[in-house]
Amino acid sequence: MLNIEDYRLIFASVGLIGVLLFASPTLGFLLHLPGGERFSELWILGPSHMAEGYPSNVKAGESYLIYVGVGNHLGSTAYYAIYVKFRNQTEPLPNATAETPSPLPPLYEYRVVIHDGGVWEAPLTFSILKASIVGGQCFVDALNINNVTFNVNKPASWDANSTGYYYQLFIELWIYNIERRSLEFHNRFVSLWLNVTC
Amino acid sequence: MPLTVSICHGVGEEEAEAEIKEAEEAFNRAYVAVVEAERAGANISILVGKMNMAGEFLAEAKNAFRVGNFSEAFGEAENCLAMLDGIAEDALKLKGLAMAESHKAFWQSLAFSCLGSFAFLAGLFYFWSRFKSAYTKKLLKMKPEVASDAEY
């Protein structure tokens, strides 16, 4: 049989639990528990809105469609800049280890504000307008992205391993840092290898 | 004296660049105001929608600038500024309302917690007093029993 001290302990425990239950709405205002993992997503999809059918053998003058998407899981609304860049095999990509973007200038960009848990997607049509092969090198002079024509003037040497003249269309994700009040590389990029034929 | 007639307003590179810079700074300010309103607990979905439209104009301005289309760049930057007009002020108002609501909710929940806890503890204490007295009475009514477990 329980003695009076045991019952006292039970009553004290019930009292403490009750007080905690009554205090929980106020504690909710004061205590902010850390949420889950916070991250942003960046993706490209093929013309059928699926992760397939990406353009790879690209003919000058023909138009190709892909979709660019960004997902925000950072716990608050975020402001992103999405930069589309174009390189040949000798030019640098972003450095994921050093978390630095490619030094190549962006050709095309999107600016988007996405609330937490939201996604954004936009079509990206591109075509190589002027390309020529001279002396074993391919020259891409102009690239059209979403009906804006950019002069790129990029040569590419013949890739004997992959048998083609390869360029890379890549997309970097940047985010606005509210503390530093500037856009910063978010260390995410996706790319598409393009074997250019004239 | 040479006669020059301006048929249309041509926008120079510097003019377009300055307008884009202004639009970009206004966009950043509006974004900061919107995020602060969100942190205060305001519903910012309408403002985010407007910011996305402004963001489209800003991106188009920058894309046009890159290809040397300064008139279009200037026009898009102007559109961006027009779309951003009032967003920071609206965000500030929403932030104020949300903070007032949040303060009200906090004081209400604090009052509920204090009164609820007090009432619960008072009730528990009353129950404990009754229980204790009943328990003591029960103990006093019990007859002592002699244990006979000693071995002879």
Side-chain angles (χ1 to χ4, degrees), chain B residues 29 54-55 58 74 76 132:
Chain B
R29 278 196 302 276
L58 179 61
F74 186 89
E76 297 291 0
K132 202 169 131 185

Coordinates of all heavy atoms in Angstrom, one line a residue, chain B residues 29 54-55 58 74 76 132:
Chain B
R29 N 14.8 46.3 -51.3 CA 14.2 46.9 -50.2 C 12.8 46.3 -49.9 O 12.4 46.0 -48.8 CB 14.0 48.4 -50.4 CG 15.3 49.3 -50.1 CD 15.0 50.7 -49.9 NE 14.3 51.3 -51.1 CZ 15.0 51.7 -52.2 NH1 16.3 51.7 -52.2 NH2 14.3 52.2 -53.2
A54 N 7.2 42.0 -60.5 CA 8.3 43.0 -60.6 C 9.6 42.3 -60.9 O 10.4 42.8 -61.7 CB 8.4 43.7 -59.2
G55 N 9.8 41.1 -60.4 CA 11.1 40.3 -60.6 C 11.2 39.9 -62.1 O 12.3 40.0 -62.7
L58 N 12.3 43.0 -63.9 CA 13.7 43.3 -63.5 C 14.6 42.3 -64.3 O 15.6 42.8 -64.9 CB 14.0 43.1 -62.0 CG 15.4 43.3 -61.5 CD1 15.9 44.7 -61.8 CD2 15.5 43.0 -60.0
F74 N 15.5 50.0 -70.1 CA 15.0 51.1 -69.4 C 13.5 51.0 -69.1 O 13.0 51.1 -67.9 CB 15.2 52.4 -70.1 CG 14.9 53.7 -69.4 CD1 15.8 54.3 -68.6 CD2 13.6 54.2 -69.5 CE1 15.5 55.4 -67.8 CE2 13.3 55.4 -68.8 CZ 14.3 56.0 -67.9
E76 N 11.6 48.2 -69.1 CA 11.3 47.1 -68.2 C 11.7 47.5 -66.7 O 11.0 47.1 -65.8 CB 12.1 45.8 -68.6 CG 11.7 45.3 -69.9 CD 10.3 44.7 -70.0 OE1 9.6 44.7 -69.0 OE2 9.9 44.2 -71.1
K132 N -5.9 13.9 1.8 CA -5.0 13.7 2.9 C -5.8 13.4 4.2 O -5.5 12.5 5.0 CB -4.1 14.9 3.1 CG -2.9 14.7 3.8 CD -2.0 15.9 3.7 CE -1.5 16.4 5.0 NZ -0.7 17.6 5.0

